[in-house]
Amino acid sequence: PVLATPAVAQRAPAAVAIVVDTNRIYRDCNACRTAQTQLQSQVTALRTRQQTLETQLRPEGQAIQTAANALNGKQPDTALQNRIKAFQQRQETANQELARGQQNIQSIQANVLRQINERLQPVINQVMTQKGANLALDVEATLAHGTAVNATNEVLAALNTALPSVSVTPLPQQQQQQTQPTPQGR
């Protein structure tokens, strides 16, 4: 008779982990710092443009408000109504310009992150292999860890080599459309 041997459950290998401080990676990688500097200059330019538009619109808005207050509740004449409409149109145009600028900055941020993330995961896998690890955790996902398992410096160095720079441009149009929420019921 053939003896049946019980099926031996395959055991998972013992976990050999590394931890990576991804916040530090995003803050300190060379391409990240360069992109952040360039992006900050665009944010500053947008703020400056906002202040310029406000400075241009404020006197006219105040003049219209003064004229409306002087009416003591009476209806404005055609000339004042036309001034109000023209002012509101200039305000709307300014708001649209600022909104486009903000959307552009958000698209650039998304594109920078996309480029970093495309290279970061393979770099983490490479460092895991070099260290004989089979598990990588973000340092913030750990309650405690020894300094010997922290591979942030190695990942940062490898990412700096693999990703010397990133494009500080908006997402390509196709990807922007993919990141837009799709209307329900279609």
Side-chain angles (χ1 to χ4, degrees):
V2 176
L3 296 174
T5 57
V8 178
Q10 283 206 339
R11 301 186 75 132
V16 178
I18 60 170
V19 296
V20 178
D21 185 345
T22 56
N23 286 335
R24 181 174 160 224
I25 299 292
Y26 288 120
R27 183 184 64 237
D28 292 347
C29 82
N30 294 339
C32 304
R33 280 193 264 180
T34 301
Q36 186 60 29
T37 299
Q38 292 174 4
L39 195 56
Q40 189 57 47
S41 71
Q42 292 187 23
V43 168
T44 301
L46 184 62
R47 282 190 192 128
T48 300
R49 180 65 180 148
Q50 178 183 10
Q51 291 168 349
T52 299
L53 290 169
E54 287 173 359
T55 300
Q56 290 172 349
L57 291 172
R58 187 177 303 113
E60 178 66 8
Q62 289 171 340
I64 289 172
Q65 187 63 51
T66 300
N69 290 344
L71 294 174
N72 292 323
K74 295 179 190 171
Q75 287 293 0
D77 63 10
T78 304
L80 183 55
Q81 288 177 4
N82 289 340
R83 276 179 69 192
I84 292 169
K85 286 179 186 174
F87 177 74
Q88 289 172 336
Q89 181 59 45
R90 284 195 303 277
Q91 275 186 317
E92 181 61 29
T93 299
N95 288 336
Q96 289 172 355
E97 177 186 336
L98 294 172
R100 281 190 307 273
Q102 185 61 38
Q103 289 171 341
N104 187 56
I105 288 170
Q106 290 170 347
S107 181
I108 292 169
Q109 288 173 321
N111 191 25
V112 167
L113 280 175
R114 178 191 60 80
Q115 293 170 75
I116 294 167
N117 289 334
E118 282 178 355
R119 295 290 174 92
L120 183 57
Q121 190 58 51
V123 164
I124 290 172
N125 290 339
Q126 170 191 337
V127 172
M128 281 175 54
T129 300
Q130 290 169 353
K131 295 205 165 264
N134 56 14
L135 177 66
L137 300 168
D138 191 289
V139 72
E140 295 205 7
T142 66
L143 296 174
H145 61 273
T147 57
V149 298
N150 190 330
T152 303
N153 290 337
E154 293 89 340
V155 170
L156 185 57
L159 183 62
N160 284 338
T161 300
L163 185 67
S165 66
V166 293
S167 171
V168 185
T169 58
L171 280 169
Q173 195 65 27
Q174 181 182 15
Q175 288 182 330
Q176 280 187 19
Q177 291 169 354
Q178 290 173 356
T179 61
Q180 300 288 326
T182 54
Q184 295 297 321
R186 291 202 175 174

